[in-house]
Amino acid sequence: MALNDTFYLSHGSPMLSIDDSIKARQFFKSWKNEVVAVKPKAILCISAHYDTTFPTVNVVSGPNDTIYDFYGFPSSMYKIKYPAPGAPELAKRVKEALIRAGFERVDEERGRGLDHGAWVPLMFMYPEADIPVCQLSVQSHLNGTHHYNLGKALAPLKDEGVLIIGSGSATHNLRTLNRSGKPSATAPWALEFDTWLKDALLQGRYDDVNEYEKKAPHAKMAHPSPDHFYPLHVAIGAAGGDPKTKLIHHSWDHGTMSYASYQFTASSPSHQSH
């Protein structure tokens, strides 16, 4: 069953795994009923927490290990397992597609499991952990256009029933988070960047999004490092053609962390593989 959509999900804090008060958690739980009714053949996740010099796929036979790439959180979080099968065949297809598109070097990392950018949302979206998952890394030293082109090379995988998800955060400046536990108003700079992003995406201004450092207000404040933003560019590119964008979830946490999540739909099936 071909899939016509790709997604950018704001995974926010790893606390999502145990804190039922985080609104985005209900969104991820509603995934199969509200967002994607068809069960994908495999999932390709481009996570902010897999950042390498060259594009890299994780190659896992058997179940994926659960990586606890966060520190100082409640001990129960380090006991959670998400043993989804690895997807070595998909890893091979991803590597082939990227090399065919002109990416000269694509590495394989054998045995690397799933980081929390993948397993935290997936544990609510597909709690059975029965769909094979492969991860593809970002290259935070490169630009948005590089990641958009990565996505373009991956677009044909949708025709094979692969669900392509970019997992990051629409705004991601951890130093600015209000950790007092008290409700706080959203910071004006975060709201301005988040609103600019929503408008640019809904209006199809993907070139502006690729060049967000120049075009967006408070770009460096919203993303001191681009690692949580580049999965968005991959998801847009992977939609193919001139996709239509839909905002599928929006909430705020800690005053500056946007959980905005987006769906990208190919404008016509004929564009999917181009």
Side-chain angles (χ1 to χ4, degrees):
M1 172 72 77
L3 297 176
N4 209 31
D5 306 300
T6 62
F7 297 89
Y8 174 67
L9 306 178
S10 288
H11 64 251
S13 163
M15 284 295 292
L16 188 73
S17 61
I18 61 167
D19 184 350
D20 207 35
S21 71
I22 297 175
K23 290 177 185 156
R25 184 163 151 152
Q26 303 312 316
F27 161 64
F28 291 128
K29 281 184 172 178
S30 74
W31 184 263
K32 287 192 285 188
N33 290 330
E34 304 288 333
V35 187
V36 179
V38 179
K39 185 175 180 178
K41 188 175 112 185
I43 297 168
L44 176 61
C45 181
I46 301 89
S47 166
H49 297 280
Y50 194 14
D51 188 359
T52 59
T53 304
F54 298 98
T56 305
V57 286
N58 76 325
V59 182
V60 174
S61 301
N64 275 292
D65 286 336
T66 306
I67 301 173
Y68 307 105
D69 49 345
F70 44 80
Y71 309 95
F73 285 87
S75 60
S76 59
M77 291 167 60
Y78 300 91
K79 299 186 179 89
I80 297 169
K81 300 279 186 215
Y82 188 78
E89 275 302 305
L90 175 56
K92 186 179 162 198
R93 298 279 293 110
V94 169
K95 181 173 180 174
E96 287 169 352
L98 294 179
I99 288 172
R100 200 162 49 240
F103 293 91
E104 289 177 14
R105 178 172 165 182
V106 180
D107 290 345
E108 298 177 20
E109 187 171 353
R110 297 188 175 275
R112 182 198 188 272
L114 303 178
D115 60 57
H116 81 267
W119 67 259
V120 169
L122 288 175
M123 70 183 273
F124 298 111
M125 293 159 63
Y126 297 104
E128 303 81 7
D130 59 351
I131 300 172
V133 183
C134 172
Q135 285 200 224
L136 171 66
S137 66
V138 295
Q139 289 73 63
S140 64
H141 61 290
L142 298 177
N143 62 16
T145 300
H146 162 84
H147 290 84
Y148 176 81
N149 288 333
L150 277 180
K152 269 174 65 174
L154 302 171
L157 295 173
K158 302 196 307 298
D159 297 339
E160 301 170 22
V162 175
L163 176 63
I164 300 174
I165 292 171
S167 179
S169 197
T171 57
H172 193 259
N173 186 332
L174 300 183
R175 290 185 175 177
T176 65
L177 298 182
N178 170 13
R179 301 180 188 273
S180 68
K182 297 173 187 163
S184 61
T186 303
W189 63 261
L191 194 57
E192 280 181 45
F193 179 88
D194 191 66
T195 302
W196 176 89
L197 177 62
K198 179 182 73 175
D199 291 346
L201 290 173
L202 295 183
Q203 292 163 16
R205 292 189 282 115
Y206 303 120
D207 287 344
D208 285 358
V209 177
N210 281 349
E211 298 188 20
Y212 78 99
E213 300 100 327
K214 296 180 201 157
K215 306 279 188 178
H218 317 292
K220 199 69 181 167
M221 192 75 172
H223 291 280
S225 165
D227 52 7
H228 276 71
F229 206 45
Y230 286 162
L232 167 70
H233 299 88
V234 181
I236 296 168
D242 184 22
K244 295 280 175 278
T245 298
K246 181 180 175 188
L247 178 68
I248 52 174
H249 175 74
H250 196 272
S251 56
W252 288 95
D253 207 4
H254 299 298
T256 67
M257 185 177 280
S258 168
Y259 277 91
S261 293
Y262 292 94
Q263 175 176 349
F264 305 100
T265 305
S267 47
S268 74
S270 62
H271 284 158
Q272 272 187 283
S273 301
H274 299 306

